Amino acid sequence: MPKESIIRTSVFEYNDIKACPSDIQQLMDKAVIAREKAYTPYSQFKVGAAIRLENGKIVTGSNQENASYPSGLCAERTAIFYTGAQYPDQKIKSIAITATGTDKENTEPVPPCGACRQAIAEYEQKQKSPIAVYFMGKSGQVKMVKSLLSLLPLAFSEQYLK
Ligand code: THU
């Protein structure tokens, strides 16, 4: 029999965004505003992300779609790549994400996709400190992990490259 390892991960829940710390409420408000700017003619599914840096600055992004579908990009990566490009020396403290369909309203928290988890994990590795991830649907309930790695156990990283 192969040896089994159990991997534990912690996800925290707030029944409502109003129960989150005030700086997170403020960050999520920015994510909601960013969500409204999403360009989604194909999916009608709007996602907003807001990133808080160590210096207090907030960077936002939304999903940007394309007629050549794979050329589009998720909100989280739009925001984090812009952050990496504009503020390469600033540590990222947290990211707030909100997502909802325009036809179907998402009431439950919508977690980031696998590709975005991988992208956020890269910046955790780079800055050597955890990034808290908060995610919500259209409004209401919020889920949170204290580190991206709680959403991506056994993450691939640069340690395997060299
Ligand atoms: N999307 C995001 O922006 N973030 C995610 O984590 C999941 C999916 C976008 C991509 C596409 O524009 C739409 O949502 C439907 O997949």
Side-chain angles (χ1 to χ4, degrees):
M1 278 292 281
K3 179 175 165 293
E4 181 186 19
S5 336
I6 310 276
I7 299 173
R8 293 185 59 207
T9 181
S10 279
V11 181
F12 299 83
E13 291 182 23
Y14 296 93
N15 281 337
D16 194 87
I17 179 64
K18 292 189 180 68
C20 290
S22 61
D23 60 323
I24 299 303
Q25 291 185 43
Q26 185 200 25
L27 196 64
M28 194 59 90
D29 283 347
K30 300 277 188 198
V32 169
I33 293 167
R35 191 185 74 204
E36 300 308 320
K37 296 179 184 152
Y39 174 60
T40 59
Y42 307 105
S43 73
Q44 319 298 337
F45 187 74
K46 294 187 180 291
V47 187
I51 289 174
R52 187 185 295 280
L53 305 179
E54 209 172 37
N55 67 2
K57 181 150 182 63
I58 293 175
V59 176
T60 62
S62 57
N63 51 329
Q64 299 295 315
E65 298 185 346
N66 192 281
S68 171
Y69 291 5
S71 299
L73 194 65
C74 291
E76 299 90 323
R77 277 177 290 160
T78 302
I80 208 159
F81 291 156
Y82 183 82
T83 302
Q86 294 294 321
Y87 306 99
D89 302 324
Q90 274 295 318
K91 287 191 177 178
I92 296 169
K93 282 181 64 178
S94 46
I95 175 166
I97 304 160
T98 172
T100 189
T102 47
D103 307 331
K104 172 195 183 296
E105 283 193 0
N106 291 73
T107 51
E108 298 199 346
V110 179
C113 79
C116 289
R117 295 179 199 200
Q118 183 70 33
I120 299 166
E122 181 76 20
Y123 291 90
E124 266 197 0
Q125 288 260 327
K126 180 188 172 211
Q127 69 182 34
K128 298 185 176 60
S129 64
I131 298 172
V133 183
Y134 292 80
F135 49 98
M136 185 176 82
K138 186 177 186 192
S139 60
Q141 198 195 348
V142 174
K143 288 188 178 174
M144 181 272 276
V145 289
K146 292 183 177 177
S147 161
L148 183 281
L149 287 185
S150 296
L151 292 177
L152 193 63
L154 300 182
F156 178 77
S157 72
E158 50 93 25
Q159 74 176 104
Y160 301 106
L161 296 177
K162 48 194 179 203

